[in-house]
């Protein structure tokens, strides 16, 4: 059974720093064996750039 998790990243200063942080996070998660389901960019209620990363990993059923 797959277990899904949503991770939120916020870039308080620039969209470029957010992009770099998301890129680093996605690469690290993929290296750790997670499936990257989606990455969505938007803003939060204070207009800070925000990204949501949805990941999945197969859970062992033993």
């Amino acid at each position: 059974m797959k277990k899904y998790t949503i991770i939120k990243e916020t870039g308080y200063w620039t969209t470029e720093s957010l992009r770099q942080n998301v890129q680093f996070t996605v690469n690290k998660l993929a290296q750790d064996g997670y499936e990257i389901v989606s990455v969505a960019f938007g803003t939060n209620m204070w207009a800070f750039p925000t990204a949501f990363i949805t990941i999945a990993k197969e859970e062992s059923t033993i």
Side-chain angles (χ1 to χ4, degrees), residues 2 6 15 22 28-29 33 35 39 47 58-59:
K2 280 188 182 180
I6 299 174
T15 55
V22 169
K28 176 73 171 113
L29 290 167
E35 172 190 352
V39 178
E58 198 70 39
E59 283 188 336

Side-chain angles (χ1 to χ4, degrees), residues 4-62:
Y4 292 86
T5 304
I6 299 174
I7 300 169
K8 181 176 91 170
E9 297 255 352
T10 301
Y12 293 104
W13 304 113
T14 66
T15 55
E16 179 61 20
S17 65
L18 175 62
R19 185 200 59 78
Q20 290 174 351
N21 289 344
V22 169
Q23 181 177 320
F24 176 81
T25 301
V26 165
N27 284 327
K28 176 73 171 113
L29 290 167
Q31 187 178 35
D32 291 344
Y34 288 91
E35 172 190 352
I36 309 304
V37 176
S38 69
V39 178
F41 290 90
T43 58
N44 65 14
M45 61 189 245
W46 296 286
F48 290 123
T50 303
F52 293 93
I53 306 165
T54 305
I55 59 173
K57 193 165 191 178
E58 198 70 39
E59 283 188 336
S60 61
T61 56
I62 298 175

